[in-house]
Amino acid sequence: MIEVQNLMKRRGSTVILDSVSFTARPGRVTGFVGPNGAGKSSTLRILLGLDKATTGTALIKGRRYRDILRPLLTVGALLDDASPLPDRRVASHLKWVAQSNGIAQGRVHETLAQVELQDAAKLRVGTLSLGMKQRLGLAAALLGEPSILVLDEPVNGLDPDGIRWIRTFLRQYASRGNTVLVSSHLMSEMAATADDIVVINQGRIVSSGTLAAVTSGFDSLEDAFFSLTGRAVADNRDAD
Amino acid sequence: MNALNRVLSELRKIATYPMVWIVFALIIALQVYLLAQAYPNLSGMLRGVSFDTNIELFRGEVRSAGSAVLDLAAAASFQTAAFLPIVIALAIGQEYREARQLSISLLAVPRRRQFVLAKYASTAVLAIAFSIVVNLVTTIGILAAAGSWSSGLLSSPAAWLASGRFTFVCLVLALLTAGLTLVTRDVLSSIGIMIVLAVVSIGGFIGYASPAFQALLPFDAARSLLLDSSFAGSSTPLLAVLILSAWVLVFGVLGWLCVARRDA
């Protein structure tokens, strides 16, 4: 279970996040959608202890991420703006990550096989395609066999096969009782993957609930998204 | 066990980052080259003498061959150690390269104090390895130049003490650079600052105006600890240890504070 309560983040006079609250539950894929710059990555970075909130809390199984001992055994994460060093070999990258949390080195080759990268173990990261790098990031997230996955834009740069692979993977992962929180700005993809949807725009949550509830009254999630974010912009102008 | 895993993980990062080892190898190659260049002169001066023979290794400085050779070995090692900050800045600075590995590292070890301590511990291991290799190359070079009479000297307690001091200086330079790189978040900036510190210390520019201030500089204190000739720095060995420890403490804490307080 992921619980985000009243998160606020300011940088100088700029409000990045404003009272962001939502929940991601076990056994379900929660889609975190919004346009670029809406605050998706900032929210996930605070949830994962990388950035500090000005106020509010973001808890995983009732604890802050940084309070979890050997966190990779509980949470697997893939960030959009962080990638392994291009000079390092694929297996070497996973080995240092595994070592840091006392995960058996045997898991490195198991996870590489899980994301279908077993033949790339000795390649340098810089030689991988964007899709292969995304899979490597996912392999790192899966090393500790966590019950919670937090993925920031995992389908960015993937070809149709890769997107379908991620979608199937996430659905299966959640079906085993795991919690999956996945951010994206691709509405059609989220509509095909997520059970629950949280819509963020300009740092504020504009809608959240089951996919059916959020899209109720609209032809698609995309229509709901544009309508919701358009209204949010209008609301903000009214407030100003 | 967790702490050990974190340190081993940091060591894996260093061991699997090719740039660190390329620069390490280039520095050792430079040391070998410089020793080879000095070999004809050293050999001519040191062969056939004994421990107590007075020689003039540096102009106007007549002293026993034993003492001169130990100082020469320390100086040869120290000039190589001046390049150690480059290796350390690369090892620590990999977190801040364009790939932004720091975020991945902090996902694995989210508690900043534990993360920074593991970084410093792995830096210390790398510094000790560096000091051993440099000492070994220097010892082989001096033995080759001076001949058999120096073998007893280079395994004497005085030589071991000099090696210990050299390892301490390497640890200080490495930890200082590590802290500095965590503060600047940039490899080139931290190397640049260390070069400025080295040039100001060794050039003695500040010493003309304020010898007391000159003594507080890390490379000057390192010379005071390692050398026993006219090339020594301006403080006593004990004071030098205190000065060097203070530099490590200040930049170690600053590095930790910067990691702890900034967003990743």
Side-chain angles (χ1 to χ4, degrees), chain A residues 13 31 88 185:
Chain A
S13 59
R88 189 169 278 132
H185 59 271

Side-chain angles (χ1 to χ4, degrees), chain A residues 9 50 65 83 88 96 101, chain B residues 9 13 94 101 107 263:
Chain A
K9 174 74 175 175
L50 298 172
Y65 184 86
S83 62
R88 189 169 278 132
W96 78 252
N101 276 238
Chain B
S9 170
K13 280 188 205 172
Q94 62 175 289
Q101 180 184 266
L107 283 177
D263 285 346

